[in-house]
Amino acid sequence: MPLLALQTPPAIAAPAPAGQEAENALLEAFDWGQPLPPAPKLGGRAMLEYRWLRAAATFDAARALPANPFAAGPPRGEAEALHALLKAPKDQLASGLKALPLREPGTALALWRWGRLQVRTGAFDATVRRAWEGRLLGEGPTLTRGYALRHALCWALAEKDEDRLAGLRALAGEDFAEVVQGFQRLFGLLGGPSPVLRVWTLPGLDYRDLRLDELGASRAWICPLEDGSLPEVPGGTVWIIPSATGSLGERDAGLSEPLLHEGRALVERLRPSGRTAFFAPSRAAFEALGLAWFPILIDLDPKGAIQAIRMGDAAPGKP
């Protein structure tokens, strides 16, 4: 008896993500610097909350306000309060931050993006900066609370403020204990000798185990080489280029083929300018010291001890 002809199965369509799932997907893409996912099909309150979050992730924090999708109710009031804060004079920022509700993830993300720019441009003094960090640490999604903690810790390290570190450690709790421990290790380096780093010379690609004070400069600029023109590195500053993958083990003394290829590509980028630098292919070695966010500027005193560490959010835009 012949088999019956199989019917063509219906197209299998993935169900539209719920509001929380859609928000999580957007925040994850934002965190990794990836294109935001297509807007899902949502309805009602979930749709409005997603639009607010997406507006927060994409608005021009230097020139505009995130579009308010809410027509009424507490969410509209929260969005309007954020708009008012972003336009407020400096002497009203501290009170505005304290009064700002943060029930919507979009509000926290917009506040993070705007405030980070204010710090970068010097618009916030230390008091307002800490009030802004504190507001974000108190409420909001895990992502923006983590951003705020990292920002506050970077500045505490740059300012060598151990009291601030202790206060942030108490606020961080178990969720961020590992992050705080990394900064504690960095505080322990201040005033002491430089640790030994395993680096390869550029352009020679020769292996070295050296302390920072043995690299021939009083400052070390640790920053990946990005697309475009080479950065200007002033005299007295050595440039250490961390690997894009960082896959070398802490104890490995030879470059794998992919790392060798990466090192040779750096040589070709540097060759036309005659510039020199050092290639650091182990992410694990940096993380063991607490050096987790680039760029990093390390100042040494005349005896070669570490005088200051400015990392991540507290590092200058260029050396």
Side-chain angles (χ1 to χ4, degrees), residues 171-186:
L171 284 172
E174 291 300 319
D175 289 346
F176 299 108
E178 187 174 345
V179 175
V180 176
Q181 288 168 6
F183 280 90
Q184 288 177 307
R185 291 195 292 273
L186 290 172

mmCIF file with all atom_site columns, all heavy atoms in Angstrom, residues 171-186:
data_model
loop_
_atom_site.group_PDB
_atom_site.id
_atom_site.type_symbol
_atom_site.label_atom_id
_atom_site.label_alt_id
_atom_site.label_comp_id
_atom_site.label_asym_id
_atom_site.label_entity_id
_atom_site.label_seq_id
_atom_site.pdbx_PDB_ins_code
_atom_site.Cartn_x
_atom_site.Cartn_y
_atom_site.Cartn_z
_atom_site.occupancy
_atom_site.B_iso_or_equiv
_atom_site.pdbx_formal_charge
_atom_site.auth_seq_id
_atom_site.auth_comp_id
_atom_site.auth_asym_id
_atom_site.auth_atom_id
_atom_site.pdbx_PDB_model_num
ATOM 1   N N   . LEU A 1 171 ? 27.583 49.062 49.117 1.00 0.00 ? 171 LEU A N   1
ATOM 2   C CA  . LEU A 1 171 ? 26.424 49.181 48.230 1.00 0.00 ? 171 LEU A CA  1
ATOM 3   C C   . LEU A 1 171 ? 26.349 48.054 47.208 1.00 0.00 ? 171 LEU A C   1
ATOM 4   O O   . LEU A 1 171 ? 25.271 47.670 46.770 1.00 0.00 ? 171 LEU A O   1
ATOM 5   C CB  . LEU A 1 171 ? 26.473 50.519 47.483 1.00 0.00 ? 171 LEU A CB  1
ATOM 6   C CG  . LEU A 1 171 ? 26.103 51.785 48.252 1.00 0.00 ? 171 LEU A CG  1
ATOM 7   C CD1 . LEU A 1 171 ? 26.391 53.009 47.399 1.00 0.00 ? 171 LEU A CD1 1
ATOM 8   C CD2 . LEU A 1 171 ? 24.628 51.757 48.650 1.00 0.00 ? 171 LEU A CD2 1
ATOM 9   N N   . ALA A 1 172 ? 27.502 47.531 46.819 1.00 0.00 ? 172 ALA A N   1
ATOM 10  C CA  . ALA A 1 172 ? 27.551 46.588 45.703 1.00 0.00 ? 172 ALA A CA  1
ATOM 11  C C   . ALA A 1 172 ? 26.868 45.269 46.013 1.00 0.00 ? 172 ALA A C   1
ATOM 12  O O   . ALA A 1 172 ? 26.191 44.691 45.158 1.00 0.00 ? 172 ALA A O   1
ATOM 13  C CB  . ALA A 1 172 ? 29.004 46.349 45.303 1.00 0.00 ? 172 ALA A CB  1
ATOM 14  N N   . GLY A 1 173 ? 27.048 44.766 47.226 1.00 0.00 ? 173 GLY A N   1
ATOM 15  C CA  . GLY A 1 173 ? 26.456 43.481 47.574 1.00 0.00 ? 173 GLY A CA  1
ATOM 16  C C   . GLY A 1 173 ? 27.124 42.329 46.842 1.00 0.00 ? 173 GLY A C   1
ATOM 17  O O   . GLY A 1 173 ? 28.146 42.476 46.170 1.00 0.00 ? 173 GLY A O   1
ATOM 18  N N   . GLU A 1 174 ? 26.519 41.163 46.935 1.00 0.00 ? 174 GLU A N   1
ATOM 19  C CA  . GLU A 1 174 ? 27.106 39.957 46.357 1.00 0.00 ? 174 GLU A CA  1
ATOM 20  C C   . GLU A 1 174 ? 27.087 39.969 44.829 1.00 0.00 ? 174 GLU A C   1
ATOM 21  O O   . GLU A 1 174 ? 27.938 39.359 44.188 1.00 0.00 ? 174 GLU A O   1
ATOM 22  C CB  . GLU A 1 174 ? 26.366 38.719 46.873 1.00 0.00 ? 174 GLU A CB  1
ATOM 23  C CG  . GLU A 1 174 ? 26.595 38.437 48.350 1.00 0.00 ? 174 GLU A CG  1
ATOM 24  C CD  . GLU A 1 174 ? 28.063 38.202 48.669 1.00 0.00 ? 174 GLU A CD  1
ATOM 25  O OE1 . GLU A 1 174 ? 28.736 37.513 47.871 1.00 0.00 ? 174 GLU A OE1 1
ATOM 26  O OE2 . GLU A 1 174 ? 28.530 38.710 49.696 1.00 0.00 ? 174 GLU A OE2 1
ATOM 27  N N   . ASP A 1 175 ? 26.102 40.654 44.234 1.00 0.00 ? 175 ASP A N   1
ATOM 28  C CA  . ASP A 1 175 ? 25.986 40.642 42.773 1.00 0.00 ? 175 ASP A CA  1
ATOM 29  C C   . ASP A 1 175 ? 27.240 41.176 42.090 1.00 0.00 ? 175 ASP A C   1
ATOM 30  O O   . ASP A 1 175 ? 27.614 40.717 41.007 1.00 0.00 ? 175 ASP A O   1
ATOM 31  C CB  . ASP A 1 175 ? 24.780 41.476 42.328 1.00 0.00 ? 175 ASP A CB  1
ATOM 32  C CG  . ASP A 1 175 ? 23.459 40.814 42.670 1.00 0.00 ? 175 ASP A CG  1
ATOM 33  O OD1 . ASP A 1 175 ? 23.480 39.612 42.995 1.00 0.00 ? 175 ASP A OD1 1
ATOM 34  O OD2 . ASP A 1 175 ? 22.421 41.495 42.617 1.00 0.00 ? 175 ASP A OD2 1
ATOM 35  N N   . PHE A 1 176 ? 27.878 42.160 42.713 1.00 0.00 ? 176 PHE A N   1
ATOM 36  C CA  . PHE A 1 176 ? 29.022 42.809 42.079 1.00 0.00 ? 176 PHE A CA  1
ATOM 37  C C   . PHE A 1 176 ? 30.298 42.652 42.906 1.00 0.00 ? 176 PHE A C   1
ATOM 38  O O   . PHE A 1 176 ? 31.241 43.427 42.743 1.00 0.00 ? 176 PHE A O   1
ATOM 39  C CB  . PHE A 1 176 ? 28.722 44.297 41.869 1.00 0.00 ? 176 PHE A CB  1
ATOM 40  C CG  . PHE A 1 176 ? 27.537 44.563 40.981 1.00 0.00 ? 176 PHE A CG  1
ATOM 41  C CD1 . PHE A 1 176 ? 26.350 45.044 41.518 1.00 0.00 ? 176 PHE A CD1 1
ATOM 42  C CD2 . PHE A 1 176 ? 27.596 44.322 39.623 1.00 0.00 ? 176 PHE A CD2 1
ATOM 43  C CE1 . PHE A 1 176 ? 25.254 45.296 40.713 1.00 0.00 ? 176 PHE A CE1 1
ATOM 44  C CE2 . PHE A 1 176 ? 26.509 44.569 38.802 1.00 0.00 ? 176 PHE A CE2 1
ATOM 45  C CZ  . PHE A 1 176 ? 25.328 45.054 39.341 1.00 0.00 ? 176 PHE A CZ  1
ATOM 46  N N   . ALA A 1 177 ? 30.338 41.647 43.761 1.00 0.00 ? 177 ALA A N   1
ATOM 47  C CA  . ALA A 1 177 ? 31.490 41.479 44.654 1.00 0.00 ? 177 ALA A CA  1
ATOM 48  C C   . ALA A 1 177 ? 32.787 41.287 43.874 1.00 0.00 ? 177 ALA A C   1
ATOM 49  O O   . ALA A 1 177 ? 33.841 41.822 44.249 1.00 0.00 ? 177 ALA A O   1
ATOM 50  C CB  . ALA A 1 177 ? 31.256 40.293 45.589 1.00 0.00 ? 177 ALA A CB  1
ATOM 51  N N   . GLU A 1 178 ? 32.736 40.555 42.776 1.00 0.00 ? 178 GLU A N   1
ATOM 52  C CA  . GLU A 1 178 ? 33.953 40.288 42.000 1.00 0.00 ? 178 GLU A CA  1
ATOM 53  C C   . GLU A 1 178 ? 34.506 41.570 41.379 1.00 0.00 ? 178 GLU A C   1
ATOM 54  O O   . GLU A 1 178 ? 35.724 41.761 41.307 1.00 0.00 ? 178 GLU A O   1
ATOM 55  C CB  . GLU A 1 178 ? 33.654 39.260 40.912 1.00 0.00 ? 178 GLU A CB  1
ATOM 56  C CG  . GLU A 1 178 ? 34.883 38.780 40.161 1.00 0.00 ? 178 GLU A CG  1
ATOM 57  C CD  . GLU A 1 178 ? 34.570 37.662 39.185 1.00 0.00 ? 178 GLU A CD  1
ATOM 58  O OE1 . GLU A 1 178 ? 33.479 37.058 39.290 1.00 0.00 ? 178 GLU A OE1 1
ATOM 59  O OE2 . GLU A 1 178 ? 35.417 37.396 38.315 1.00 0.00 ? 178 GLU A OE2 1
ATOM 60  N N   . VAL A 1 179 ? 33.612 42.454 40.939 1.00 0.00 ? 179 VAL A N   1
ATOM 61  C CA  . VAL A 1 179 ? 34.046 43.728 40.365 1.00 0.00 ? 179 VAL A CA  1
ATOM 62  C C   . VAL A 1 179 ? 34.775 44.551 41.421 1.00 0.00 ? 179 VAL A C   1
ATOM 63  O O   . VAL A 1 179 ? 35.853 45.110 41.175 1.00 0.00 ? 179 VAL A O   1
ATOM 64  C CB  . VAL A 1 179 ? 32.839 44.511 39.811 1.00 0.00 ? 179 VAL A CB  1
ATOM 65  C CG1 . VAL A 1 179 ? 33.272 45.889 39.322 1.00 0.00 ? 179 VAL A CG1 1
ATOM 66  C CG2 . VAL A 1 179 ? 32.175 43.738 38.682 1.00 0.00 ? 179 VAL A CG2 1
ATOM 67  N N   . VAL A 1 180 ? 34.199 44.623 42.610 1.00 0.00 ? 180 VAL A N   1
ATOM 68  C CA  . VAL A 1 180 ? 34.814 45.403 43.688 1.00 0.00 ? 180 VAL A CA  1
ATOM 69  C C   . VAL A 1 180 ? 36.173 44.822 44.059 1.00 0.00 ? 180 VAL A C   1
ATOM 70  O O   . VAL A 1 180 ? 37.138 45.560 44.302 1.00 0.00 ? 180 VAL A O   1
ATOM 71  C CB  . VAL A 1 180 ? 33.884 45.449 44.913 1.00 0.00 ? 180 VAL A CB  1
ATOM 72  C CG1 . VAL A 1 180 ? 34.561 46.177 46.074 1.00 0.00 ? 180 VAL A CG1 1
ATOM 73  C CG2 . VAL A 1 180 ? 32.574 46.143 44.562 1.00 0.00 ? 180 VAL A CG2 1
ATOM 74  N N   . GLN A 1 181 ? 36.289 43.511 44.090 1.00 0.00 ? 181 GLN A N   1
ATOM 75  C CA  . GLN A 1 181 ? 37.561 42.878 44.440 1.00 0.00 ? 181 GLN A CA  1
ATOM 76  C C   . GLN A 1 181 ? 38.664 43.258 43.461 1.00 0.00 ? 181 GLN A C   1
ATOM 77  O O   . GLN A 1 181 ? 39.823 43.453 43.851 1.00 0.00 ? 181 GLN A O   1
ATOM 78  C CB  . GLN A 1 181 ? 37.386 41.364 44.491 1.00 0.00 ? 181 GLN A CB  1
ATOM 79  C CG  . GLN A 1 181 ? 36.581 40.885 45.691 1.00 0.00 ? 181 GLN A CG  1
ATOM 80  C CD  . GLN A 1 181 ? 36.168 39.426 45.573 1.00 0.00 ? 181 GLN A CD  1
ATOM 81  O OE1 . GLN A 1 181 ? 36.573 38.725 44.638 1.00 0.00 ? 181 GLN A OE1 1
ATOM 82  N NE2 . GLN A 1 181 ? 35.354 38.958 46.507 1.00 0.00 ? 181 GLN A NE2 1
ATOM 83  N N   . GLY A 1 182 ? 38.309 43.376 42.175 1.00 0.00 ? 182 GLY A N   1
ATOM 84  C CA  . GLY A 1 182 ? 39.298 43.804 41.193 1.00 0.00 ? 182 GLY A CA  1
ATOM 85  C C   . GLY A 1 182 ? 39.836 45.194 41.496 1.00 0.00 ? 182 GLY A C   1
ATOM 86  O O   . GLY A 1 182 ? 41.039 45.450 41.384 1.00 0.00 ? 182 GLY A O   1
ATOM 87  N N   . PHE A 1 183 ? 38.965 46.095 41.905 1.00 0.00 ? 183 PHE A N   1
ATOM 88  C CA  . PHE A 1 183 ? 39.413 47.447 42.245 1.00 0.00 ? 183 PHE A CA  1
ATOM 89  C C   . PHE A 1 183 ? 40.211 47.455 43.547 1.00 0.00 ? 183 PHE A C   1
ATOM 90  O O   . PHE A 1 183 ? 41.142 48.256 43.700 1.00 0.00 ? 183 PHE A O   1
ATOM 91  C CB  . PHE A 1 183 ? 38.216 48.390 42.331 1.00 0.00 ? 183 PHE A CB  1
ATOM 92  C CG  . PHE A 1 183 ? 37.750 48.864 40.985 1.00 0.00 ? 183 PHE A CG  1
ATOM 93  C CD1 . PHE A 1 183 ? 36.799 48.154 40.271 1.00 0.00 ? 183 PHE A CD1 1
ATOM 94  C CD2 . PHE A 1 183 ? 38.283 50.011 40.419 1.00 0.00 ? 183 PHE A CD2 1
ATOM 95  C CE1 . PHE A 1 183 ? 36.378 48.576 39.021 1.00 0.00 ? 183 PHE A CE1 1
ATOM 96  C CE2 . PHE A 1 183 ? 37.870 50.444 39.171 1.00 0.00 ? 183 PHE A CE2 1
ATOM 97  C CZ  . PHE A 1 183 ? 36.914 49.727 38.465 1.00 0.00 ? 183 PHE A CZ  1
ATOM 98  N N   . GLN A 1 184 ? 39.863 46.586 44.469 1.00 0.00 ? 184 GLN A N   1
ATOM 99  C CA  . GLN A 1 184 ? 40.663 46.491 45.690 1.00 0.00 ? 184 GLN A CA  1
ATOM 100 C C   . GLN A 1 184 ? 42.103 46.097 45.366 1.00 0.00 ? 184 GLN A C   1
ATOM 101 O O   . GLN A 1 184 ? 43.055 46.608 45.975 1.00 0.00 ? 184 GLN A O   1
ATOM 102 C CB  . GLN A 1 184 ? 40.034 45.475 46.646 1.00 0.00 ? 184 GLN A CB  1
ATOM 103 C CG  . GLN A 1 184 ? 38.752 45.964 47.300 1.00 0.00 ? 184 GLN A CG  1
ATOM 104 C CD  . GLN A 1 184 ? 38.120 44.906 48.191 1.00 0.00 ? 184 GLN A CD  1
ATOM 105 O OE1 . GLN A 1 184 ? 37.887 43.779 47.765 1.00 0.00 ? 184 GLN A OE1 1
ATOM 106 N NE2 . GLN A 1 184 ? 37.844 45.268 49.422 1.00 0.00 ? 184 GLN A NE2 1
ATOM 107 N N   . ARG A 1 185 ? 42.274 45.190 44.398 1.00 0.00 ? 185 ARG A N   1
ATOM 108 C CA  . ARG A 1 185 ? 43.629 44.804 43.997 1.00 0.00 ? 185 ARG A CA  1
ATOM 109 C C   . ARG A 1 185 ? 44.380 45.999 43.413 1.00 0.00 ? 185 ARG A C   1
ATOM 110 O O   . ARG A 1 185 ? 45.580 46.176 43.649 1.00 0.00 ? 185 ARG A O   1
ATOM 111 C CB  . ARG A 1 185 ? 43.572 43.655 42.986 1.00 0.00 ? 185 ARG A CB  1
ATOM 112 C CG  . ARG A 1 185 ? 43.089 42.342 43.568 1.00 0.00 ? 185 ARG A CG  1
ATOM 113 C CD  . ARG A 1 185 ? 43.383 41.172 42.652 1.00 0.00 ? 185 ARG A CD  1
ATOM 114 N NE  . ARG A 1 185 ? 42.614 41.207 41.420 1.00 0.00 ? 185 ARG A NE  1
ATOM 115 C CZ  . ARG A 1 185 ? 41.391 40.696 41.285 1.00 0.00 ? 185 ARG A CZ  1
ATOM 116 N NH1 . ARG A 1 185 ? 40.790 40.130 42.321 1.00 0.00 ? 185 ARG A NH1 1
ATOM 117 N NH2 . ARG A 1 185 ? 40.765 40.743 40.124 1.00 0.00 ? 185 ARG A NH2 1
ATOM 118 N N   . LEU A 1 186 ? 43.677 46.830 42.647 1.00 0.00 ? 186 LEU A N   1
ATOM 119 C CA  . LEU A 1 186 ? 44.324 47.997 42.052 1.00 0.00 ? 186 LEU A CA  1
ATOM 120 C C   . LEU A 1 186 ? 44.712 49.024 43.111 1.00 0.00 ? 186 LEU A C   1
ATOM 121 O O   . LEU A 1 186 ? 45.778 49.644 43.025 1.00 0.00 ? 186 LEU A O   1
ATOM 122 C CB  . LEU A 1 186 ? 43.399 48.628 41.012 1.00 0.00 ? 186 LEU A CB  1
ATOM 123 C CG  . LEU A 1 186 ? 43.205 47.810 39.736 1.00 0.00 ? 186 LEU A CG  1
ATOM 124 C CD1 . LEU A 1 186 ? 42.132 48.432 38.863 1.00 0.00 ? 186 LEU A CD1 1
ATOM 125 C CD2 . LEU A 1 186 ? 44.510 47.698 38.963 1.00 0.00 ? 186 LEU A CD2 1
#
